[in-house]
């Protein structure tokens, strides 16, 4: 089955630790995105990548880092510099052009 | 600054009612407008609109775009409890291909 997988589903982190969220897609999509969703809010763009080995900052990139070494993978690292990392993180992908984004099931990160 | 605004923020209706959700936008380079339904986890795609005045329809849901007045509406007729969800509107911009999301409308349908 084609789709987007994210792992883990739930993640608990102590303050001061870096954590990496996984996002993998087998849809052969060129573009991949990371969003953050807080309660009662919409999706805010963290980083996005249109092609391998290239990515751009979104609206709230501070405290996050990404890599795009393979077309199918776009991991997100939440660093200790992120002041308020507790949130629901969604990964998405799509092909270039007039296309809808497909979303993964999300990772809920809680900082203890 | 590009922005997408949805209204109302939340809505409670009874089964059988018809609802209209609104999405207005201000973006530099409009490419398309998309509607998603989010129940618990991942948003699921409903519609993509690129041209003004052309209604898209899927069952009890329909949507239309007005590029002159910069807004879109999502209509749901004969609502059911299964329609309870957060409905997200997003605008894709050309050039950067970013998607800008609104805060969503939380719809609750009571039996």
């Amino acid at each position: 089955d084609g789709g987007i997988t994210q792992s883990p589903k739930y993640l608990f982190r102590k303050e001061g630790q870096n954590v990496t969220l996984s996002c993998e897609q087998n849809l052969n999509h060129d573009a991949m995105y990371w969003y953050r969703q807080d309660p009662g809010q919409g999706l805010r763009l963290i980083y996005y990548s249109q092609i391998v080995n290239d990515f751009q900052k979104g609206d709230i990139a501070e405290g996050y880092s990404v890599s795009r070494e393979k077309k199918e993978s776009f991991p997100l690292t939440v660093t200790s510099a992120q002041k308020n990392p507790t949130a629901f993180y969604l990964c998405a992908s799509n092909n270039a052009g007039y296309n809808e984004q497909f979303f993964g099931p999300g990772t809920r990160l809680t900082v203890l | 600054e590009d922005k997408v605004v949805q209204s109302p923020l939340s809505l409670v209706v009874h089964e059988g009612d018809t609802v209209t959700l609104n999405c207005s936008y201000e973006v530099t380079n409009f490419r398309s407008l998309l509607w998603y339904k989010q129940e618990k986890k991942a948003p699921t795609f409903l519609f993509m609109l690129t041209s003004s005045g052309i209604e898209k329809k899927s069952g009890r849901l329909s949507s239309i775009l007005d590029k002159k007045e910069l807004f879109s509406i999502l209509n749901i007729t004969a609502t059911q409890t299964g329609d309870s969800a957060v409905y997200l509107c997003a605008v894709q911009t050309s050039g950067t291909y970013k998607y800008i999301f609104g805060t969503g409308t939380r719809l609750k349908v009571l039996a």
Side-chain angles (χ1 to χ4, degrees):
Chain A
D1 284 300
I4 304 175
T5 56
Q6 289 186 242
S7 62
K9 189 175 178 180
Y10 297 97
L11 186 57
F12 297 90
R13 185 194 100 175
K14 291 183 181 178
E15 280 193 32
Q17 288 181 334
N18 292 356
V19 290
T20 297
L21 282 56
S22 169
C23 177
E24 304 275 333
Q25 53 98 1
N26 61 4
L27 301 166
N28 201 34
H29 285 168
D30 295 307
M32 296 186 75
Y33 302 74
W34 274 106
Y35 294 95
R36 169 182 172 140
Q37 188 174 33
D38 294 283
Q41 296 197 30
L43 279 59
R44 291 186 291 167
L45 182 64
I46 305 173
Y47 269 98
Y48 64 109
S49 168
Q50 299 290 326
I51 56 172
V52 175
N53 292 323
D54 189 39
F55 48 83
Q56 287 77 40
K57 291 182 179 179
D59 301 317
I60 55 166
E62 186 175 349
Y64 300 98
S65 66
V66 293
S67 62
R68 187 86 187 276
E69 296 176 2
K70 298 186 295 183
K71 187 175 184 178
E72 59 270 22
S73 178
F74 193 39
L76 173 74
T77 296
V78 184
T79 74
S80 56
Q82 170 47 235
K83 295 288 186 280
N84 185 20
T86 294
F88 186 53
Y89 291 86
L90 283 162
C91 178
S93 72
N94 65 273
N95 270 327
Y98 294 94
N99 287 303
E100 73 268 24
Q101 288 193 308
F102 293 83
F103 286 86
T107 292
R108 190 167 297 281
L109 172 64
T110 302
V111 173
L112 304 172
Chain B
E1 183 186 339
D2 295 338
K3 63 179 179 180
V4 175
V5 178
Q6 293 185 245
S7 64
L9 291 180
S10 65
L11 192 54
V12 180
V13 300
H14 288 91
E15 272 193 317
D17 289 349
T18 293
V19 297
T20 298
L21 310 182
N22 304 293
C23 176
S24 64
Y25 62 90
E26 290 179 32
V27 300
T28 308
N29 295 299
F30 176 89
R31 187 175 177 91
S32 63
L33 186 144
L34 301 95
W35 284 97
Y36 289 87
K37 178 182 181 182
Q38 185 179 26
E39 293 180 78
K40 293 278 188 191
K41 297 176 184 175
T44 54
F45 173 75
L46 295 175
F47 298 111
M48 183 171 68
L49 304 153
T50 56
S51 301
S52 273
I54 300 174
E55 185 183 51
K56 293 242 177 156
K57 199 169 170 64
S58 176
R60 296 175 294 101
L61 277 67
S62 64
S63 183
I64 197 161
L65 173 68
D66 186 328
K67 289 170 75 173
K68 183 179 177 186
E69 300 297 329
L70 309 183
F71 77 92
S72 173
I73 60 171
L74 175 68
N75 278 321
I76 308 175
T77 59
T79 52
Q80 303 171 356
T81 55
D83 295 327
S84 296
V86 174
Y87 290 84
L88 296 166
C89 173
V91 171
Q92 186 191 23
T93 60
S94 58
T96 61
Y97 296 97
K98 286 168 59 175
Y99 293 78
I100 302 153
F101 282 81
T103 54
T105 292
R106 183 173 297 276
L107 173 66
K108 187 170 179 64
V109 182
L110 302 175

